[in-house]
Amino acid sequence: MNERVARLRQASFEAEPSISTERAVWITRFYRENIGKWSVPVMRAKAFEYLYENQALYLGEGELIVGERGPRPKAVSTYPELTCHSEENLRILGSRKMTRYRTTEEDVRVYREEVIPFWRGRTMRERLFAGLSDAWKAAYEAGLFTEFMEQRAPGHTTFDGKFYQKGLLGFKDDIATALAALDFLHDPEAASKREELSAMAIACDAVMAFARRHAELAERLAAAEADPQRSAELRQIAATCRRVPAEPPRDFREALQMYWFMHLGTITELNGWDAMNPGHLDRYFYPFYRRDLDSGALTREQAKELLECFWIKFNNHPAPPKVGVTAEESGTYNDFTNINLGGLLSDGGDGVNELSYLMLEVIDEIHLLQPQANLQLSRKNPDRFLKAACEVIRKGYGYPSVFNADGVVEQMVRCGKRLEDAREGGTSGCVETGAFGKEAYVLTGYLNTPKILELALNDGRDPRTGRQLGPRTGDPRGFGSLDEVFAAFERQLRHVVDLKVAGNLFIEKMYATEMPAVFLSVLIDDCIKNGKDYNAGGARYNTSYIQCVGIGTITDSLSALRTHVFELGALTMGQVLDALRADFAGSEPLRLALWNKTPRYGNDDDAADGLMKRVFDALFAAIDGRPNLRGGRYHVDMLPTTCHIYFGAVLGATPDGRKAGAPVSEGISPVQGADRQGPTAVVKSAAKMDQLRTGGTLLNMKFLPGTLRGQEGIDKMASLVRGYFRLDGHHIQFNVVDAATLREAQRRPQEYRDLIVRVAGYSDYFCDLGRELQEEIISRTAQSDF
Amino acid sequence: MAMTGTIFDVRRFSLHDGPGIRTTVFLKGCPLVCVWCHNPESQPARPLLLRRPELCVGCGRCAAQCPQGALQAGAGGSFTREEARCTACGACVGVCPSEALTRVGREVEAAALVEEVVRDRAFFDESGGGVTFSGGEPLGQPEFLLELLARCRHEGLHTAVDTSGYARPSTMRQVAALADLVLYDLKLLDPEAHRRYTGVPNEAILENLRALVADGRPVEIRLPVIPGITDTDENVSAAAAFVASLPERPRVRLLGHHRAAMSKYARLGMAQRLGEVADPSPARLEALAARLRAAGVEAFV
């Protein structure tokens, strides 16, 4: 990287995350003065426009791509209309040890005097909790599931390439056409469509105004700039911001800046989950890159510099901090923006191009926390592409992760999506499958599957609190076969999923009517055509995911009961249950026998893996195909983010020999340390799950650096990936770091501040992780060669 | 009648025993007793008991289960074993909850073993890998090995045999005819030194190697680098000269000593005769490879 990039990178790395109350203040003022004047979507759009006309701008020294959500890098906006931080919350954010956000007394004062008084009782979060049933709340508090939308809006989507061909003025034309076509005589929804479409047009104006203000700022700075070279750069920035996003980009630089304004618009409008995902950037940017290189307007090095400046912008946006208990569920600055490389073109062709390789170089050089990147690897993509990525993976940043592009297409086609839309799609966030630019694919919450088994082993009661949370499924001491245990589990599962889905329907309704995402709706097909918001089912496809956690733990638990109680007869159900209640106190040999002498998932052992399939089939039957509020359906995802820590913390001892409070297994990885037959056996076990029936699974592998030495190491890593995908695996990611290094980082965190490790579907700074999670990562079996 | 043999391990994703991703099957029993042996558990043909006292929780189940009365539970969670009585039957291993006791070695049918190794076919196919039969000395169970090789050939699996070369010429020829690659150890060229450090003479080993190469069999020579023993100037020069004298020159891979493997001796209750020998550095291995190359031998680390 050149000197400019190095400086910008260092500045972004060192910038301290802080709270910016600016957005909260402008939005609050606008609502206070205008409440009740317009329909909800128009109110949202006008508030957004007001914010974009007034908020402070930032244009950093040496920047080539411009624009920030907050007044400076890593100054994070808050969203009081969704969740309003209390004074105490703000002080905790500013003082807590992990993932801290600097907060000033002035911020607290502003919140106390302006923000809190207006929003108290009006926030989405308060209204949601007021409307959810007691049974839902009891299950939620017990840790049977989490809820994504309790303080962040539904996001979970990805852009396609359309706005590079069509500026916002083009979208405004489409909106005008849709407005003109409204049929007020026959369509009872025409009036609400008019409100939504009008709001979309206002949102476009807002973003264009924001860009114009940047152009004006750059011109002012250029006039005052003493250095002629920087002055020329600033004039070029101004010209770029005068062009995009109103008009479509004409060159590489404009294309990057175009994207960045779209990104900022969506993450400022609402605090949607997974920030915003850019999609197949190598593909979208390629025509501009090719043209500029051919015309001599740009060299490869200049293109790389622009890309690197662009890359760094993502790192300036830590996740908006949450309030309350969920801070522990996912304590990270990462906001899960994930860039796709490679994959398939909509006509089925190979999607890899020169930019895919250039971007891999950028990832290698920049390797900041954000953005993450992944390969969409099709059998049509060349091995050279995969091996170039393996070279980066081997460095140990934990990314890029690798996805099976052909399998992702099959998943989407199974769910009824058009083939060309599926090919244009991919994965985003952690591992979630979606049709880019055309789908709202919303994660709704994690499901604690081992906790559901715990209910089945306690006649529907939560042993931690004694509360009856599920149906009475019988005294577990009387269970005479694994089938009886499983039948009880299935009944508890059905009950918990019913609760979750009922809660989701209410929450989705609230977002549909009260919290439209009008700017995002402009950019996702077919919201304009349908005159309907992204949050209300306006998109072409509308999926809700429930993410199941702990398949390794529940499989091994069932396997242990089958082996020791029902096959060997060495233990009775009563003995096992008593030992679990006592957290194995005084019965360590029994615990070890359960842990060591049980066929376990992750060893390519059909006995254990068969149980995994049985659990997966039960989850699938309970979730897949249920209708959601937005006209779409529910599907199963198998990913944990960091929730396996939280779910373990609320779970008692389990029959696989796991002690109370310890993390459950993550993703579809085996229980930490249970896999003893090497990585191919893990991959074989995981592939026995019919992953094509999911919307994403997550498999984490830890390798010691020595294992992947030399060209041979790269070749074999590539073969392992290809082998997994041949078996329809969805995703695989690698941590390439040894336990000794991680222990050293625990001892001397200051020296390891930039050590990035794979957590689950994303990477994070090791030293920013909680101790529990650090320990869990160290305990994952390190695969070595033999 | 089903053909059976004794193995002590099946390792998947083995990366250094031939091309691609491989599954390595370790056959038990070895006529050599190399002082640096990294797999001492492979030497005796019969199964062994491996102890890891640090894992023992002192439950005493092993002693109660032992049909020979060879195990005595002691105070404070310790247990002792009377070596003479123990038949390594494995009864104690079955009841040990903590894996403080494991059994090294199991008898297995050739057909079942091939079913086991074929499980990684997807990765063999992707990587150009396959199965490697190692040991111990795999040629020490010749009928079993030939049966395995024939079955693998029927399955279309690439096979490699990792041998010390200490075998009857007729056996070596039969095996080489069925294997796709022979990984052949070349340890010490001086007959006296070979006898001293491995327990057997080397004339037949060198003859077998010459014959294999003359027959045009694909061979990779492997030179273990044991500091002070095999990495002497004399030995490296002699090895280079020997390889250079062969009708075809197989490539030579240098395998560095791994001190970590020496900890196995204590767990097995075996004497470790090598003493403290440091691992050769990557630079040292590279320098040795360069010397072989200078002598006209293709060498790599």
Side-chain angles (χ1 to χ4, degrees):
Chain A
M1 72 185 87
N2 66 25
E3 199 238 313
R4 176 209 308 272
V5 173
R7 214 159 7 88
L8 290 170
R9 181 188 180 280
Q10 194 60 23
S12 180
F13 178 66
E14 284 174 357
E16 186 188 8
S18 62
I19 289 293
S20 163
T21 57
E22 199 188 359
R23 181 188 180 282
V25 168
W26 291 118
I27 294 286
T28 305
R29 279 187 200 158
F30 191 82
Y31 267 82
R32 204 170 46 216
E33 280 158 32
N34 296 292
I35 197 158
K37 281 191 192 165
W38 305 290
S39 65
V40 171
V42 171
M43 181 74 180
R44 293 291 309 158
K46 284 183 177 281
F48 180 51
E49 188 178 36
Y50 179 70
L51 173 69
Y52 259 4
E53 281 169 353
N54 289 292
Q55 79 165 77
L57 302 183
Y58 173 86
L59 202 165
E61 183 63 42
E63 282 195 313
L64 297 178
I65 304 297
V66 300
E68 289 288 331
R69 172 170 54 186
R72 62 188 173 276
K74 292 196 184 164
V76 185
S77 300
T78 56
Y79 302 78
E81 68 271 43
L82 289 140
T83 180
C84 187
H85 292 82
S86 66
E87 291 179 55
E88 189 200 1
N89 275 160
L90 289 174
R91 290 206 177 94
I92 289 173
L93 282 178
S95 61
R96 69 187 182 193
K97 230 173 142 205
M98 313 299 289
T99 49
R100 186 187 311 161
Y101 293 78
R102 185 162 48 81
T103 315
T104 63
E105 270 311 303
E106 174 62 12
D107 295 332
V108 176
R109 186 195 63 76
V110 163
Y111 252 70
R112 181 175 58 237
E113 292 175 8
E114 282 206 58
V115 180
I116 296 171
F118 179 77
W119 289 108
R120 187 181 292 135
R122 290 193 170 103
T123 66
M124 189 58 138
R125 186 163 198 254
E126 288 163 286
R127 295 177 65 191
L128 292 181
F129 278 101
L132 288 160
S133 71
D134 289 341
W136 185 96
K137 281 180 210 159
Y140 172 78
E141 282 157 16
L144 280 161
F145 51 71
T146 65
E147 175 47 60
F148 264 51
M149 263 68 76
E150 48 101 12
Q151 45 185 316
R152 291 190 69 174
H156 294 110
T157 197
T158 305
F159 289 136
D160 58 9
K162 64 177 163 285
F163 55 66
Y164 304 99
Q165 270 71 54
K166 188 191 274 191
L168 288 180
L169 290 173
F171 285 103
K172 282 194 75 179
D173 288 345
D174 293 348
I175 292 167
T177 305
L179 274 169
L182 286 178
D183 179 355
F184 287 88
L185 184 59
H186 300 98
D187 182 357
E189 287 184 47
S192 56
K193 289 178 181 173
R194 179 184 59 199
E195 294 306 306
E196 175 70 24
L197 288 165
S198 308
M200 290 184 197
I202 296 166
C204 290
D205 290 339
V207 174
M208 289 188 286
F210 188 61
R212 206 159 44 237
R213 291 181 61 215
H214 279 86
E216 288 158 6
L217 173 62
E219 279 154 10
R220 279 201 304 280
L221 290 172
E225 175 63 53
D227 175 4
Q229 197 190 331
R230 180 60 183 162
S231 182
E233 283 173 8
L234 286 163
R235 280 195 303 277
Q236 194 167 19
I237 289 169
T240 302
C241 295
R242 291 244 177 246
R243 171 77 191 183
V244 294
E247 305 275 356
R250 291 164 301 190
D251 59 23
F252 190 65
R253 177 192 297 264
E254 287 179 355
L256 298 182
Q257 186 65 57
M258 174 90 198
Y259 175 80
W260 190 244
F261 280 129
M262 299 299 99
H263 186 93
L264 287 180
T266 48
I267 68 169
T268 302
E269 172 185 36
L270 277 171
N271 61 356
W273 267 100
D274 287 355
M276 190 64 217
N277 289 285
H280 298 282
L281 284 186
D282 49 354
R283 185 177 315 169
Y284 310 151
F285 290 159
Y286 183 70
F288 302 102
Y289 172 78
R290 186 74 267 157
R291 208 170 334 148
D292 284 2
L293 248 61
D294 289 348
S295 73
L298 214 57
T299 65
R300 188 176 190 274
E301 277 312 300
Q302 287 169 323
K304 187 173 176 181
E305 180 185 45
L306 281 168
L307 263 183
E308 292 189 325
C309 290
F310 173 79
W311 231 254
I312 290 164
K313 295 298 279 184
F314 289 90
N315 195 56
N316 291 343
H317 296 87
K322 296 191 283 184
V323 304
V325 60
T326 50
E328 285 164 40
E329 289 169 26
S330 185
T332 177
Y333 290 129
N334 202 323
D335 212 13
F336 307 109
T337 288
N338 211 331
I339 292 172
N340 306 85
L341 305 180
L344 294 165
L345 303 172
S346 59
D347 66 0
D350 173 9
V352 173
N353 60 42
E354 286 165 48
L355 262 185
S356 316
Y357 293 98
L358 183 60
M359 286 182 178
L360 282 171
E361 282 177 38
V362 169
I363 291 162
D364 189 13
E365 286 187 10
I366 299 296
H367 68 270
L368 287 164
L369 181 63
Q370 302 191 90
Q372 319 260 315
N374 65 76
L375 262 67
Q376 302 287 308
L377 181 71
S378 163
R379 54 181 179 260
K380 292 181 183 172
N381 296 148
D383 278 348
R384 179 189 157 214
F385 172 58
L386 172 58
K387 288 179 183 177
C390 287
E391 297 270 4
V392 182
I393 293 168
R394 187 168 63 177
K395 304 267 177 82
Y397 317 132
Y399 57 74
S401 53
V402 192
F403 292 84
N404 175 4
D406 308 298
V408 164
V409 168
E410 276 195 69
Q411 289 170 27
M412 286 198 261
V413 169
R414 184 191 79 82
C415 297
K417 293 171 202 169
R418 296 178 204 159
L419 181 60
E420 59 276 20
D421 289 351
R423 285 172 175 157
E424 270 291 323
T427 58
S428 64
C430 289
V431 299
E432 305 87 84
T433 297
F436 294 176
K438 298 161 191 74
E439 180 170 12
Y441 47 113
V442 178
L443 296 185
T444 66
Y446 298 107
L447 192 67
N448 192 346
T449 59
K451 183 86 187 168
I452 296 171
L453 178 63
E454 188 178 53
L455 287 187
L457 295 177
N458 287 279
D459 203 7
R461 254 180 336 99
D462 180 359
R464 211 161 65 100
T465 58
R467 287 179 79 173
Q468 187 75 31
L469 298 177
R472 308 289 300 255
T473 43
D475 179 358
R477 282 161 207 269
F479 290 157
S481 68
L482 190 77
D483 287 347
E484 287 179 48
V485 176
F486 205 85
F489 165 71
E490 283 179 306
R491 281 189 60 201
Q492 299 292 346
L493 172 65
R494 175 67 60 170
H495 173 77
V496 174
V497 173
D498 282 351
L499 278 177
K500 176 69 181 154
V501 170
N504 284 356
L505 284 168
F506 167 66
I507 292 167
E508 287 174 315
K509 180 75 185 165
M510 287 291 285
Y511 274 98
T513 57
E514 306 298 323
M515 205 56 76
V518 292
F519 182 60
L520 177 59
S521 301
V522 172
L523 304 173
I524 301 296
D525 295 331
D526 300 311
C527 295
I528 295 176
K529 202 169 102 194
N530 294 331
K532 231 177 181 180
D533 193 81
Y534 176 89
N535 284 346
R540 185 173 303 167
Y541 307 111
N542 292 281
T543 297
S544 294
Y545 286 126
I546 292 177
Q547 312 95 260
C548 305
V549 176
I551 188 107
T553 300
I554 187 174
T555 296
D556 289 359
S557 293
L558 290 167
S559 183
L561 292 177
R562 182 171 67 185
T563 303
H564 296 274
V565 178
F566 302 119
E567 281 179 3
L568 297 175
L571 296 168
T572 64
M573 280 300 287
Q575 284 171 316
V576 174
L577 293 166
D578 290 342
L580 296 184
R581 186 148 313 148
D583 196 15
F584 298 112
S587 48
E588 183 64 4
L590 183 152
R591 187 187 79 79
L592 287 168
L594 293 170
W595 184 262
N596 287 315
K597 300 284 178 178
T598 293
R600 301 184 68 179
Y601 170 64
N603 295 290
D604 194 13
D605 176 331
D606 291 334
D609 299 344
L611 283 173
M612 178 279 290
K613 289 171 67 170
R614 194 168 169 188
V615 172
F616 173 75
D617 287 343
L619 295 170
F620 184 83
I623 294 169
D624 187 77
R626 287 185 177 222
N628 64 20
L629 184 99
R630 297 171 291 121
R633 296 195 177 274
Y634 277 87
H635 299 297
V636 173
D637 262 352
M638 303 295 292
L639 72 126
T641 313
T642 59
C643 213
H644 55 299
I645 304 285
Y646 165 65
F647 278 175
V650 296
L651 179 65
T654 40
D656 63 338
R658 175 194 144 281
K659 288 196 171 184
V664 301
S665 62
E666 53 83 31
I668 57 167
S669 309
V671 167
Q672 298 78 353
D675 52 315
R676 299 178 182 186
Q677 300 294 321
T680 56
V682 172
V683 157
K684 283 284 305 289
S685 284
K688 289 175 199 170
M689 177 185 293
D690 186 358
Q691 299 186 29
L692 297 177
R693 289 191 291 158
T694 71
T697 65
L698 186 149
L699 180 64
N700 231 320
M701 296 272 217
K702 195 168 92 177
F703 278 86
L704 300 175
T707 308
L708 303 170
R709 243 190 342 251
Q711 186 55 43
E712 263 184 295
I714 294 293
D715 291 348
K716 284 162 190 177
M717 187 175 186
S719 301
L720 186 65
V721 172
R722 290 278 196 194
Y724 185 43
F725 290 175
R726 179 191 272 236
L727 303 171
D728 289 340
H730 173 79
H731 153 278
I732 188 166
Q733 66 193 21
F734 300 88
N735 250 330
V736 185
V737 62
D738 55 22
T741 306
L742 297 178
R743 287 283 175 218
E744 198 53 29
Q746 283 184 320
R747 271 189 292 275
R748 293 185 293 166
Q750 278 311 317
E751 292 167 38
Y752 289 87
R753 269 181 59 203
D754 65 344
L755 176 63
I756 297 179
V757 294
R758 199 75 190 168
V759 179
Y762 72 102
S763 293
D764 212 334
Y765 290 116
F766 184 73
C767 298
D768 282 347
L769 301 174
R771 190 77 184 187
E772 284 273 272
L773 193 50
Q774 288 184 346
E775 290 297 326
E776 194 268 333
I777 286 172
I778 293 173
S779 75
R780 288 179 198 163
T781 307
Q783 303 291 358
S784 66
D785 52 335
F786 303 117
Chain B
M1 201 187 77
M3 172 73 69
T4 63
T6 306
I7 63 170
F8 69 94
D9 209 354
V10 178
R11 286 282 173 97
R12 300 164 74 159
F13 199 64
S14 119
L15 300 182
H16 304 297
D17 297 325
I21 293 174
R22 309 191 72 80
T23 295
T24 300
V25 177
F26 294 87
L27 280 74
K28 207 155 165 21
C30 186
L32 278 65
V33 279
C34 305
V35 294
W36 61 80
C37 181
H38 286 175
N39 290 327
E41 72 273 32
S42 75
Q43 292 174 3
R46 61 179 173 78
L48 290 177
L49 214 57
L50 186 79
R51 295 174 47 179
R52 274 174 291 194
E54 71 275 14
L55 295 179
C56 177
V57 291
C59 64
R61 292 176 186 186
C62 51
Q65 199 72 20
C66 181
Q68 309 296 325
L71 288 164
Q72 307 291 326
S78 68
F79 64 93
T80 55
R81 178 171 62 139
E82 274 183 61
E83 300 286 342
R85 282 196 188 176
C86 175
T87 62
C89 67
C92 56
V93 173
V95 296
C96 175
S98 67
E99 303 195 314
L101 287 166
T102 48
R103 188 166 183 256
V104 183
R106 62 181 162 116
E107 198 165 301
V108 61
E109 285 187 10
L113 183 56
V114 172
E115 262 177 51
E116 197 175 331
V117 298
V118 99
R119 298 185 80 98
D120 268 356
R121 185 194 287 279
F123 307 98
F124 303 157
D125 288 354
E126 284 294 343
S127 66
V131 187
T132 298
F133 296 102
S134 181
E137 173 48 62
L139 275 69
Q141 301 181 56
E143 294 83 8
F144 181 54
L145 178 62
L146 288 168
E147 172 86 7
L148 290 170
L149 289 170
R151 283 177 180 274
C152 286
R153 177 153 289 194
H154 180 72
E155 287 287 343
L157 301 178
H158 178 279
T159 53
V161 173
D162 180 8
T163 178
S164 68
Y166 192 71
R168 284 175 203 282
S170 58
T171 305
M172 182 60 76
R173 264 200 309 279
Q174 282 176 291
V175 166
L178 275 177
D180 296 302
L181 174 67
V182 179
L183 306 170
Y184 204 109
D185 276 10
L186 188 59
K187 298 181 169 95
L188 287 157
L189 277 292
D190 175 62
E192 188 40 46
H194 197 277
R195 198 185 302 271
R196 178 155 19 106
Y197 288 111
T198 74
V200 302
N202 67 359
E203 289 84 355
I205 293 173
L206 298 178
E207 269 317 298
N208 276 336
L209 176 54
R210 191 176 290 281
L212 277 190
V213 175
D215 285 352
R217 300 298 178 198
V219 172
E220 179 183 300
I221 292 174
R222 299 152 70 96
L223 182 67
V225 178
I226 314 300
I229 301 177
T230 65
D231 73 339
T232 61
D233 287 348
E234 300 80 358
N235 194 48
V236 173
S237 303
F242 179 78
V243 177
S245 77
L246 294 171
E248 299 281 335
R249 294 179 186 179
R251 58 182 205 159
V252 177
R253 181 166 192 148
L254 298 164
L255 300 175
H257 173 59
H258 286 300
R259 206 162 41 122
M262 296 291 115
S263 65
K264 284 186 194 170
Y265 285 83
R267 293 173 178 179
L268 293 158
M270 293 169 76
Q272 200 270 88
R273 297 170 295 146
L274 181 65
E276 268 295 300
V277 171
D279 293 353
S281 68
R284 170 70 178 154
L285 292 173
E286 203 38 65
L288 290 170
R291 282 190 43 197
L292 289 167
R293 279 185 222 119
V297 173
E298 190 194 336
F300 66 109
V301 177

